[in-house]
Amino acid sequence: MIDLRSDTVTAPSQVMRQAMSQADVGDDVFGEDPSVIELQEEVARLLGKEAGLFVPSGTMSNQIAIKAHTQPGDEVVCEAGAHIMNYEAGGPAFHSQVQLNPIKGRLGVFTARQVEAVIRPRNVHVPPTTLITIENTHNQAGGTIFPLEEIHRIADMARAHDLRMHLDGARLMNAVVATGIPADEWTAPFDSVSLCLSKGLGAPVGSVLCGNRKFIKDTHRYRKLFGGGMRQVGIIAAGALYAIRNHVDDLARDHQRARQLAEVLSKLPGIHINPDEVHTNIVMFGMDEQKGTGVEIEEQLRRKGLLCLPLAKQKIRLVTHRDLSDDDINNAIHTFQKVLS
Ligand SMILES: *Cc1c(COP(=O)(O)O)cnc(C)c1O
């Protein structure tokens, strides 16, 4: 099977497994696991922040950040397709008792002007706006990049209104590789940043939440409260360290292949995709109704050995990743041409 459903399907390589098997470990709930400490320091340095916290998932990382930045009853601004709003099981309401104020962006990108329009005045009738979240790259919008100049404009406004800024940077390294802009430039305008090691970077498990020392100290309590305190977890952290040290540059190949798939799909009749909107490793395409629904096409592709994700009635998602070979991509192209022509 050629698996284009997600970049989370990547499996640890033999060398990564070897690094994991040899990891120094300790009890991380006591803060004594040397591999976890090394990972947290290395990712914090990469992202230009004072400290980091290793957590089991990107979801927990975002939810801990929201918890640490807000009080119950606060309002959090996000994009309408944001992962924190749509794919984290209602976490902001459940864990932090905050409400979200979604802004409809274009390809996951909203403007400082749109943010300004939703910031609440301070009076007893309305919820206080306290946190702005940005997702970069944006998953549901198709791995799209949020322009850095707009992030700066939004951050300037956030500071003027005394609001915090959180970056859901689960897929930030894709933006780094696609633009050549270093990670710490992308993250400088934010109070906190979440980075996933288990997506395109290919580690089996883990995300790191970064921020200043005081913030990360607070987040330790919430990680414990959410059940995410782990013991000899250096075994896993070693895989994440291997990924961040060795796999970042390989994302360029994922991007080039996604672009290639998009170009091929754009030439097929009744298929809708603009290759220029494929910024990184996610390809979203739509199809005319007479071609069938996303679910029907997914089934036809699956019978030919290709897995994809139907995301809406007339929409399918493909994601390229490091476990694909050149043959896989060529075979996928032939399968699309056969099934969709
Ligand atoms: C994958 C992802 C997450 C969190 O994922 P987990 O599956 O919980 O690790 C958060 N935000 C974005 C943008 C993602 O792509």
Short mmCIF file of all heavy atoms in Angstrom, two decimals, residues 57-60 62 83 88 135 137 139 168 170-171 196 198-199 207, ligand 1:
data_model
loop_
_atom_site.label_atom_id
_atom_site.label_comp_id
_atom_site.label_asym_id
_atom_site.label_seq_id
_atom_site.Cartn_x
_atom_site.Cartn_y
_atom_site.Cartn_z
N SER A 57 1.86 14.58 22.83
CA SER A 57 1.19 14.88 21.56
C SER A 57 1.11 16.37 21.30
O SER A 57 1.20 17.19 22.22
CB SER A 57 -0.23 14.30 21.55
OG SER A 57 -1.05 15.05 22.44
N GLY A 58 0.86 16.72 20.03
CA GLY A 58 0.65 18.12 19.67
C GLY A 58 -0.61 18.67 20.30
O GLY A 58 -0.69 19.84 20.66
N THR A 59 -1.60 17.80 20.43
CA THR A 59 -2.85 18.22 21.07
C THR A 59 -2.60 18.62 22.53
O THR A 59 -3.01 19.69 22.97
CB THR A 59 -3.88 17.07 21.00
OG1 THR A 59 -4.17 16.81 19.63
CG2 THR A 59 -5.15 17.44 21.74
N MET A 60 -1.88 17.78 23.26
CA MET A 60 -1.62 18.12 24.67
C MET A 60 -0.79 19.41 24.76
O MET A 60 -1.03 20.25 25.63
CB MET A 60 -0.92 16.98 25.41
CG MET A 60 -0.85 17.26 26.90
SD MET A 60 0.04 16.04 27.86
CE MET A 60 -1.15 14.72 27.94
N ASN A 62 -0.72 22.04 22.68
CA ASN A 62 -1.58 23.21 22.47
C ASN A 62 -2.50 23.43 23.66
O ASN A 62 -2.72 24.57 24.10
CB ASN A 62 -2.44 23.02 21.21
CG ASN A 62 -1.66 23.23 19.93
OD1 ASN A 62 -0.71 24.01 19.90
ND2 ASN A 62 -2.07 22.56 18.87
N HIS A 83 -6.56 23.67 13.99
CA HIS A 83 -6.50 22.37 14.64
C HIS A 83 -7.04 22.43 16.06
O HIS A 83 -7.81 21.57 16.48
CB HIS A 83 -5.04 21.88 14.65
CG HIS A 83 -4.89 20.40 14.90
ND1 HIS A 83 -4.97 19.85 16.15
CD2 HIS A 83 -4.68 19.36 14.04
CE1 HIS A 83 -4.79 18.54 16.05
NE2 HIS A 83 -4.63 18.21 14.79
N GLU A 88 -9.17 18.84 18.20
CA GLU A 88 -8.62 18.54 19.53
C GLU A 88 -9.75 18.24 20.51
O GLU A 88 -9.65 18.52 21.71
CB GLU A 88 -7.66 19.67 19.98
CG GLU A 88 -6.50 19.76 18.98
CD GLU A 88 -5.34 20.66 19.37
OE1 GLU A 88 -5.31 21.21 20.48
OE2 GLU A 88 -4.44 20.79 18.50
N GLU A 135 -1.72 29.15 13.37
CA GLU A 135 -1.27 27.81 12.98
C GLU A 135 -0.38 27.94 11.74
O GLU A 135 -0.82 28.47 10.72
CB GLU A 135 -2.49 26.94 12.69
CG GLU A 135 -2.18 25.49 12.41
CD GLU A 135 -3.48 24.67 12.34
OE1 GLU A 135 -4.39 24.86 13.16
OE2 GLU A 135 -3.56 23.82 11.43
N THR A 137 2.74 25.64 9.63
CA THR A 137 1.84 25.73 8.52
C THR A 137 0.44 25.26 8.94
O THR A 137 0.30 24.56 9.94
CB THR A 137 2.32 24.87 7.32
OG1 THR A 137 2.32 23.49 7.71
CG2 THR A 137 3.72 25.25 6.93
N ASN A 139 -2.76 23.13 8.76
CA ASN A 139 -3.06 21.76 8.35
C ASN A 139 -4.30 21.70 7.45
O ASN A 139 -4.21 21.32 6.27
CB ASN A 139 -3.25 20.92 9.62
CG ASN A 139 -3.41 19.44 9.34
OD1 ASN A 139 -3.83 19.04 8.26
ND2 ASN A 139 -3.10 18.62 10.33
N ASP A 168 0.69 27.41 17.08
CA ASP A 168 0.59 25.97 16.84
C ASP A 168 1.52 25.69 15.67
O ASP A 168 1.14 25.74 14.51
CB ASP A 168 -0.86 25.58 16.51
CG ASP A 168 -0.97 24.08 16.23
OD1 ASP A 168 0.08 23.39 16.23
OD2 ASP A 168 -2.10 23.60 15.99
N ALA A 170 3.00 22.87 15.03
CA ALA A 170 3.13 21.43 14.82
C ALA A 170 3.95 21.17 13.56
O ALA A 170 4.84 20.34 13.53
CB ALA A 170 1.76 20.78 14.71
N ARG A 171 3.64 21.97 12.52
CA ARG A 171 4.27 21.79 11.20
C ARG A 171 5.17 22.96 10.85
O ARG A 171 5.36 23.28 9.67
CB ARG A 171 3.17 21.64 10.14
CG ARG A 171 2.20 20.55 10.47
CD ARG A 171 1.03 20.45 9.51
NE ARG A 171 0.40 19.15 9.68
CZ ARG A 171 0.87 18.03 9.15
NH1 ARG A 171 1.93 18.06 8.37
NH2 ARG A 171 0.29 16.88 9.40
N CYS A 196 5.74 19.68 16.64
CA CYS A 196 5.57 18.21 16.61
C CYS A 196 6.79 17.55 15.99
O CYS A 196 7.22 17.96 14.92
CB CYS A 196 4.36 17.82 15.78
SG CYS A 196 2.79 17.96 16.62
N SER A 198 6.54 14.21 15.47
CA SER A 198 5.98 12.94 14.99
C SER A 198 5.25 13.08 13.66
O SER A 198 4.58 12.16 13.23
CB SER A 198 5.01 12.39 16.03
OG SER A 198 3.95 13.32 16.22
N LYS A 199 5.39 14.23 13.00
CA LYS A 199 4.75 14.39 11.69
C LYS A 199 5.82 14.14 10.63
O LYS A 199 6.42 13.09 10.64
CB LYS A 199 4.17 15.80 11.57
CG LYS A 199 3.18 16.14 12.69
CD LYS A 199 1.81 15.59 12.38
CE LYS A 199 0.82 15.74 13.51
NZ LYS A 199 0.33 17.10 13.69
N SER A 207 5.88 15.96 21.11
CA SER A 207 5.92 17.37 20.76
C SER A 207 6.67 18.10 21.86
O SER A 207 6.78 17.60 22.98
CB SER A 207 4.49 17.94 20.68
OG SER A 207 3.83 17.48 19.53
C1 LIG B 1 -0.90 17.16 13.98
C2 LIG B 1 -1.21 18.51 14.44
C3 LIG B 1 -1.45 18.81 15.80
C4 LIG B 1 -1.48 17.82 16.93
O1 LIG B 1 -1.38 16.55 16.66
P1 LIG B 1 -1.32 15.26 17.59
O2 LIG B 1 -1.90 14.25 16.69
O3 LIG B 1 -2.12 15.53 18.80
O4 LIG B 1 0.11 15.04 17.91
C5 LIG B 1 -1.70 20.12 16.13
N1 LIG B 1 -1.69 21.09 15.21
C6 LIG B 1 -1.45 20.85 13.91
C7 LIG B 1 -1.41 21.99 12.96
C8 LIG B 1 -1.20 19.56 13.48
O5 LIG B 1 -0.94 19.34 12.19
#
